[in-house]
Amino acid sequence: MKTLKIVTLSVVLSFLTFSCSNDDNGDSTIEEAPDFSGTYSQADQMGRPAVNTVFVTPSSKDTFNRTIPSEQNATFQNMFETNLTALSPAFTTAEDTNALGLTASEFTGLLATDVLNVSLDGTTTFFDGTNVLTGRALADDVITVELLLIFGGEDFTENPSLSNDNVDANDKPFLTSFPYLASPW
């Protein structure tokens, strides 16, 4: 009798656990499988967050997003440099550099190829005080690093009000094992 109660309880709990939904809208239609026939093209790319958003002019977004990374520098570096020097008071002369020691031309040459570099034999980080653009850890404050490199000047002290997004951590801690992402709200 005790086994029957346990089995019944298990069945009821599994039914409640796996059959309930918080998003029940009364729609009982069955979705069809995706259709992969046809021709597809790249619609967006963003190897480094915000680079495409900030440095590519609106009329060039589609072209940039369809350009393969190996051709981006030759095609877009001048646009990136024009937009950087118009945007940042830290790059007012050709000799001005950022904390990486890069001039506007050198820095936008690095950024115009919109890929995320990864160090295969060193620290993987967007910036940790020593290593820069060697990859990206989930907890890296990527936008603040980009703002510092764009507006912070040679030693990150120029334009302090423009050099920080003031978001210092994820809203929930990241996990220490796979899948590493924080649990959803």
Side-chain angles (χ1 to χ4, degrees), residues 163-182:
S163 298
N164 192 337
D165 66 357
N166 295 306
V167 177
D168 298 324
N170 197 42
D171 57 342
K172 295 180 92 176
F174 293 110
L175 303 175
T176 57
S177 61
F178 186 81
Y180 302 107
L181 299 173

Side-chain angles (χ1 to χ4, degrees), residues 3 27 29 35 47 52 76 88 100 106 120 122 126 130 161 163 181:
T3 305
D27 183 8
T29 59
D35 179 8
N52 179 336
F76 296 98
S88 177
L100 300 178
E106 294 166 333
L120 298 177
F126 210 71
T130 304
S161 63
S163 298
L181 299 173

Side-chain angles (χ1 to χ4, degrees), residues 64-76:
F64 181 82
N65 286 324
R66 286 190 303 264
T67 303
I68 60 173
S70 62
E71 296 174 4
Q72 288 174 332
N73 190 291
T75 308
F76 296 98

Side-chain angles (χ1 to χ4, degrees), residues 6-80:
I6 292 174
V7 169
T8 303
L9 181 60
S10 297
V11 169
V12 170
L13 285 175
S14 66
F15 177 75
L16 291 173
T17 303
F18 297 107
S19 298
C20 294
S21 172
N22 289 336
D23 63 350
D24 186 10
N25 61 7
D27 183 8
S28 61
T29 59
I30 298 173
E31 292 185 33
E32 293 182 25
D35 179 8
F36 293 109
S37 64
T39 303
Y40 293 88
S41 64
Q42 174 103 11
D44 193 12
Q45 58 184 311
M46 195 170 290
R48 293 188 186 106
V51 170
N52 179 336
T53 305
V54 173
F55 294 109
V56 180
T57 57
S59 62
S60 298
K61 292 283 185 193
D62 289 339
T63 304
F64 181 82
N65 286 324
R66 286 190 303 264
T67 303
I68 60 173
S70 62
E71 296 174 4
Q72 288 174 332
N73 190 291
T75 308
F76 296 98
Q77 189 274 329
N78 286 333
M79 175 192 303
F80 275 45

